[in-house]
């Protein structure tokens, strides 16, 4: 491997930050994939994507929320989701029946708020 | 019945408080060879225990590398279940092991799980004590000088390289020279050493064959030594993480008994393999390799482990932890990296040489290169009196041996010295699994050093020694051997009795021959 995933991620982040149009951003993305494959680092693209996400979170204050719930969100849950989206966060909703009830919110893959019934039962037993 | 179950359920959950709060988590980015790389978990501390949530249940890992954008952790149980994307949580705890008297007689792995099929060790784990694997060594003020002997039962060692309780004495030599045998004899002898506090023995097997460990357990069981021993096993087929943790587990167990005011002995067999495991882990964590590809902190790995062996002062319970680390050399090279590191840490070394072993001198102790920095402070007064000149006599004999090969005519004084050296060399030979209590060692060495065996042919020395000990045990147990055990001193009166008894015995032998 010629370059570490971090170097690819840093370079891509700078290219995207400097791009003024959607077209320019698309070119930067295509360029990243091309260069990585040319260097034999195609297999590291997943890791590079993860690092790009981290850089965007730290440098540009991007907030990435994943809301997991046992059932599709309704009522207060849906309002909470909409509120996060309005504040500029990227919100992804995942239905995970194994949670049994309640929700689990992960922010930027490093902070987690787990109010699911599954976690309570795991703690109890 | 349903009411009972409801009541039991209520009691079971009455401690539970529903607290939902934000918690720091990380994600596994890479996993392989027992090492995981975690993204996130910025607040992870060094040596912190982490929990990895896999689809097959939780796994534990220890955070070892704290890098700018990731954490490198060592998985301490099954790592094959861990995949990229699994969630990792911190526990704010360090790795620890359950300790207690319940461990005596058991064989466990470095995580405390039983391996001997003897069932659960602790009936209620919540009530048992936990000791951290990376404990802090006692400070200078908590210690006192080593002054109580730890008898190995081997005459050569107890007379010339005495070990004290709280000392670190390295056993070093090539493969198959008797290092483990010496350690095993030391454990067995603790059941025979009267007049002192009993010693709890912890044997840590690092990277050993499972057949060897099984044989060792059987040997200890047959010698009735397993009841005061604990075996910590990280066998050759276990992952490098367990090889790395095993000595720390053994040390933590020994520390438990030390802190309770008891005496404990921990044997690390062997630290060479421990160093290999740490090298493997460090290279997988991409730490920069140093000399012989070992990481830069390989010295600290062993120094922090061995510093935990100590003799505590009476204010802190008066307990002790003695360490006998074992190092395997290659072709007798004691100047290579790991051996020199450990030699500089320990309070002396017992050097076993292949040449001597193949010549039939067993234990194959190289008296010139072996030393105990604690010395006679760790000997009973009786042994000090009897064996004080032994090292010097043997050193003179070694020089004269070389001289005799080239010169056939020697004067009477030289002949006598050679003869005495040969007798003492024969006396110091000892079979394995036959440790000798110190009072018998004193009697035998007294006879050898005071010319009682002069008239005995060399090939009959061992037989004569055995007969002498039988004679003393049958006829002089109360008036010679028992006082030696009780006081540890060879008073003038006792010496006179021993001298007369030995003289009578030797006379009866020569009369029988005639």
């Amino acid at each position: 491997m010629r370059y570490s995933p971090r170097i690819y991620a840093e370079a891509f982040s700078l290219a995207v930050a400097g791009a003024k149009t959607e077209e320019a951003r698309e070119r930067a993305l295509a360029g990243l994939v091309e260069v990585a494959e040319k260097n034999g680092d195609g297999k590291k693209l997943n890791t590079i994507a993860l690092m790009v996400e981290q850089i965007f979170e730290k440098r540009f204050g991007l907030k990435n929320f994943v809301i997991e719930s046992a059932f599709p969100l309704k009522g207060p849950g849906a309002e909470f989701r909409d509120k996060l989206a309005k504040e500029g966060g990227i919100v992804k909703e995942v239905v995970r029946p194994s949670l049994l009830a309640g929700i689990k919110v992960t922010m930027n893959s490093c902070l987690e708020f787990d109010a699911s019934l599954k976690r309570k039962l795991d703690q109890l037993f | 019945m349903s009411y009972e179950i409801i009541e039991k359920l209520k009691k079971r959950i009455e401690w539970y408080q529903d607290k939902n709060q934000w918690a720091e988590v990380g994600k596994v980015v890479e996993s392989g060879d027992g090492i995981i790389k975690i993204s996130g978990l910025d607040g992870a501390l060094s040596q912190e225990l982490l929990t990895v949530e896999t689809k097959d249940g939780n796994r534990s890992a220890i955070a070892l590398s704290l890098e700018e954008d990731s954490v490198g952790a060592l998985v301490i149980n099954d790592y094959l279940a861990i995949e990229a994307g699994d969630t990792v949580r911190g526990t704010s705890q360090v790795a620890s092991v359950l300790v207690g008297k319940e461990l005596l007689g058991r064989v466990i792995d470095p995580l405390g799980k039983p391996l001997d099929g003897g069932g659960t060790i602790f009936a209620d784990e919540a009530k048992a004590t936990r000791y951290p694997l990376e404990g802090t060594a006692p400070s200078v003020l908590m210690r006192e000088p080593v002054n109580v002997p730890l008898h190995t039962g081997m005459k050569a060692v107890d007379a010339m390289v005495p070990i004290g309780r709280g000392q670190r004495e390295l056993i070093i030599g090539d493969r198959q020279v008797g290092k483990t045998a010496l350690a095993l004899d030391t454990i067995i002898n603790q059941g025979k050493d009267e007049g002192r506090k009993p010693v709890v023995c912890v044997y840590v097997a690092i990277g050993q064959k499972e057949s060897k460990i099984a044989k060792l357990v059987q040997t200890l069981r047959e010698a009735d030594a397993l009841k005061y021993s604990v075996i910590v096993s990280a066998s050759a087929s276990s992952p490098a993480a367990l090889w790395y943790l095993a000595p720390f587990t053994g040390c933590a167990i020994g520390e438990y008994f030390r802190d309770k005011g008891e005496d404990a002995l921990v044997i690390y067999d062997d630290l060479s393999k421990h160093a290999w495991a740490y090298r493997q882990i460090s290279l997988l964590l991409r730490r920069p390799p140093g000399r012989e590809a070992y990481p830069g902190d390989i010295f600290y790995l062993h120094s922090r482990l061995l510093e935990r062996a100590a003799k505590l002062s009476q204010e802190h319970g008066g307990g002790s932890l003695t360490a006998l680390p074992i190092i395997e050399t290659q072709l007798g090279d004691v100047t290579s990296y790991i051996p020199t590191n450990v030699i500089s840490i320990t309070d002396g070394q017992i050097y076993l040489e292949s040449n001597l072993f193949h010549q039939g001198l067993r234990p194959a102790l190289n008296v010139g290169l072996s030393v105990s920095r604690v010395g006679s402070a760790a000997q009973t007064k009786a042994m000090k009196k009897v064996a004080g000149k032994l090292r010097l006599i043997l050193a003179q004999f070694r020089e004269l041996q070389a001289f005799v090969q080239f010169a056939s005519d020697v004067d009477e004084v030289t002949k006598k010295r050679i003869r005495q050296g040969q007798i003492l060399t024969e006396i110091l030979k000892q079979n394995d699994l036959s440790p000798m209590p110190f009072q018998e060692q004193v009697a035998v060495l007294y006879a050898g050093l005071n010319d009682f065996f002069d008239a005995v042919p060399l090939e009959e020395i061992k037989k004569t020694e055995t007969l002498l000990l039988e004679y003393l045990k049958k006829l002089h147990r109360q008036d010679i051997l028992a006082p030696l055990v009780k006081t540890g001193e060879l008073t003038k009166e006792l010496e006179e009795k021993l001298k007369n008894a030995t003289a009578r015995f030797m006379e009866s032998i020569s009369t029988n021959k005639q």
Side-chain angles (χ1 to χ4, degrees):
Chain A
M1 187 170 133
R2 282 182 65 185
Y3 302 109
S4 69
R6 175 142 285 272
I7 291 177
Y8 282 106
E10 291 273 357
F12 177 71
S13 306
L14 286 171
V16 165
K20 291 190 169 67
T21 62
E22 185 60 32
E23 208 181 276
R25 284 192 279 274
E26 288 291 329
R27 272 206 307 274
L29 178 59
L32 167 69
V33 175
E34 194 188 321
V35 168
E37 279 175 354
K38 198 170 141 191
N39 289 342
D41 294 333
K43 285 179 188 170
K44 301 284 178 179
L45 278 169
N46 280 335
T47 313
I48 295 168
L50 201 64
M51 288 196 171
V52 167
E53 203 174 286
Q54 284 172 3
I55 291 170
F56 271 60
E57 284 161 7
K58 276 187 186 147
R59 215 166 280 175
F60 307 118
L62 176 74
K63 283 192 182 136
N64 208 332
F65 295 95
V66 176
I67 303 178
E68 294 168 79
S69 57
F71 304 99
L73 289 173
K74 281 182 219 177
E79 284 170 23
F80 175 65
R81 174 199 59 206
D82 296 337
K83 185 185 168 200
L84 289 176
K86 260 189 201 163
E87 284 172 5
I90 299 172
V91 183
K92 183 180 167 189
E93 197 179 323
V94 176
V95 175
R96 204 179 297 284
S98 59
L99 294 179
L100 301 175
I103 60 167
K104 184 162 105 172
V105 183
T106 309
M107 186 176 93
N108 290 349
S109 305
C110 62
L111 279 176
E112 188 181 84
F113 184 91
D114 193 340
S116 66
L117 180 58
K118 180 180 183 300
R119 182 147 180 82
K120 292 182 172 73
L121 290 173
D122 286 342
Q123 281 178 338
L124 271 173
F125 300 109
Chain B
M1 189 181 82
S2 55
Y3 289 119
E4 273 177 38
I5 288 176
I6 291 169
E7 286 306 312
K8 277 185 184 170
L9 182 63
K10 281 182 184 171
K11 208 168 184 173
R12 182 79 167 82
I13 64 174
E14 66 186 4
W15 58 270
Y16 179 73
Q17 284 173 2
D18 190 3
K19 275 187 205 166
N20 288 320
Q21 51 195 16
W22 285 97
E24 218 173 275
V25 295
K27 283 249 181 297
V28 174
V29 174
E30 281 177 33
S31 171
D33 297 317
I35 300 289
I36 54 172
K37 206 165 177 186
I38 301 158
S39 163
L41 222 55
D42 292 337
L45 303 173
S46 182
Q47 304 285 340
E48 185 180 353
L49 202 58
L50 309 173
T51 305
V52 185
E53 294 171 359
T54 74
K55 61 180 190 289
D56 294 332
N58 290 350
R59 301 288 182 268
S60 296
I62 298 176
L64 288 182
S65 273
L66 305 179
E67 290 158 27
E68 194 188 343
D69 49 14
S70 65
V71 172
L74 175 71
V75 182
I76 59 178
N77 28 35
D78 171 31
Y79 61 85
L80 295 171
I82 299 176
E83 293 173 346
D86 287 342
T87 304
V88 185
R89 292 172 198 281
T91 60
S92 304
Q93 289 174 0
V94 291
S96 60
V97 67
L98 288 169
V99 293
K101 284 202 182 311
E102 294 89 335
L103 284 173
L104 295 176
R106 301 302 301 266
V107 182
I108 60 172
D109 77 353
L111 304 177
K113 282 192 295 209
L115 297 175
D116 51 7
T120 321
I121 299 174
F122 295 96
D124 188 354
E125 288 192 3
K127 286 184 182 161
T129 311
R130 277 200 166 265
Y131 257 57
L133 298 192
E134 292 271 7
T136 318
S139 66
V140 172
L141 293 176
M142 289 172 70
R143 298 174 189 239
E144 69 175 24
V146 172
N147 53 21
V148 178
L150 181 97
H151 290 131
T152 62
M154 308 304 282
K155 286 170 278 187
V157 174
D158 293 341
M160 294 182 287
V161 197
I163 303 173
R165 297 186 185 197
Q167 188 179 349
R168 296 88 44 93
E169 183 80 4
L170 171 65
I171 301 172
I172 184 169
D174 280 358
R175 56 181 189 84
Q176 302 290 319
V177 293
K179 302 184 296 295
T180 305
L182 177 55
L184 214 52
D185 282 330
T186 305
I187 295 177
I188 294 171
N189 194 53
Q190 300 319 305
K192 297 181 181 179
D193 194 29
E194 298 165 66
R196 267 160 290 281
K197 271 196 283 187
V199 177
V200 171
C201 302
V202 183
Y203 179 86
V204 182
I206 305 157
Q208 308 281 343
K209 289 181 284 197
E210 303 218 23
S211 58
K212 184 179 169 188
I213 300 168
K215 195 172 168 205
L216 189 139
V217 170
Q218 182 62 15
T219 305
L220 289 178
R221 189 173 283 127
E222 283 166 6
D224 202 26
L226 195 59
K227 62 184 183 206
Y228 53 80
S229 307
V230 183
I231 315 289
V232 178
S233 168
S235 67
S237 58
S238 55
L242 294 185
W243 288 31
Y244 166 66
L245 292 176
F248 296 105
T249 303
C251 193
I253 296 169
E255 279 180 326
Y256 166 76
F257 291 101
R258 180 199 71 190
D259 293 343
K260 284 171 70 73
E262 295 180 41
D263 291 334
L265 164 69
V266 61
I267 295 164
Y268 304 109
D269 192 2
D270 57 67
L271 290 188
S272 309
K273 292 195 177 66
H274 185 233
W276 295 349
Y278 190 57
R279 176 172 60 185
Q280 177 180 326
I281 290 164
S282 298
L283 289 172
L284 286 168
L285 285 168
R286 299 204 170 271
R287 288 175 174 174
R291 179 177 165 185
E292 292 180 30
Y294 288 105
D297 62 344
I298 191 73
F299 184 95
Y300 179 54
L301 174 74
H302 291 146
S303 66
R304 71 178 188 266
L305 174 70
L306 295 172
E307 268 302 296
R308 290 157 73 179
K311 172 88 178 75
L312 297 183
S313 61
Q314 294 307 314
E315 294 84 56
H316 293 95
S320 71
L321 177 61
T322 308
L324 293 183
I326 294 176
I327 287 277
E328 185 176 292
T329 51
Q330 305 297 324
L331 295 172
D333 185 13
V334 292
T335 62
S336 62
Y337 192 25
I338 302 301
T340 48
N341 273 358
V342 183
I343 286 171
S344 66
I345 293 167
T346 52
D347 307 317
Q349 65 274 352
I350 292 170
Y351 181 45
L352 302 175
E353 213 169 34
S354 303
N355 290 343
L356 298 175
F357 185 86
H358 294 124
Q359 284 170 29
L361 264 68
R362 297 170 197 183
L365 180 74
N366 182 324
V367 183
L369 290 179
S370 302
V371 73
S372 165
R373 300 189 207 197
V374 171
S376 58
Q379 276 182 322
T380 54
K381 284 183 179 167
M383 184 63 88
K384 211 185 304 192
K385 189 173 184 177
V386 154
K389 292 180 191 166
L390 185 55
R391 209 184 239 273
L392 182 62
I393 293 171
L394 287 174
Q396 287 171 347
F397 168 62
R398 279 197 303 278
E399 280 186 16
L400 291 172
Q401 248 187 335
F403 172 73
V404 159
Q405 282 177 5
F406 296 103
S408 52
D409 286 333
V410 291
D411 56 288
E412 284 307 310
V413 172
T414 308
K415 264 189 195 168
K416 194 171 181 266
R417 281 205 180 133
I418 292 169
R419 173 76 185 145
Q420 190 180 38
Q422 288 171 333
I423 290 168
L424 289 170
T425 303
E426 279 304 311
I427 287 174
L428 291 175
K429 284 182 189 174
Q430 197 167 344
N431 293 332
D432 67 338
L433 303 180
S434 311
M436 188 182 283
F438 102 93
Q439 62 274 19
E440 294 176 21
Q441 291 182 26
V442 166
V444 165
L445 288 170
Y446 179 83
L449 284 158
N450 289 283
D451 306 332
F452 284 101
F453 287 168
D454 272 4
V456 179
L458 282 180
E459 56 279 3
E460 287 179 24
I461 296 272
K462 295 306 291 178
K463 190 178 158 194
T464 311
E465 178 191 326
T466 310
L467 291 171
L468 170 64
L469 287 173
E470 261 178 44
Y471 167 80
L472 288 173
K473 281 190 271 197
K474 274 188 187 148
L475 299 179
H476 295 283
R477 188 184 287 275
Q478 295 306 319
D479 61 334
I480 296 178
L481 297 179
L484 262 177
V485 170
K486 194 173 171 191
T487 62
E489 224 176 306
L490 191 63
T491 57
K492 274 190 185 154
E493 191 193 330
L494 199 55
E495 189 179 348
E496 197 59 36
K497 283 184 189 170
L498 179 60
K499 184 179 168 185
N500 293 336
T502 311
R504 276 196 302 273
F505 168 77
M506 296 310 297
E507 210 180 296
S508 70
I509 290 243
S510 59
T511 312
N512 283 345
K513 274 189 190 160
Q514 283 162 14

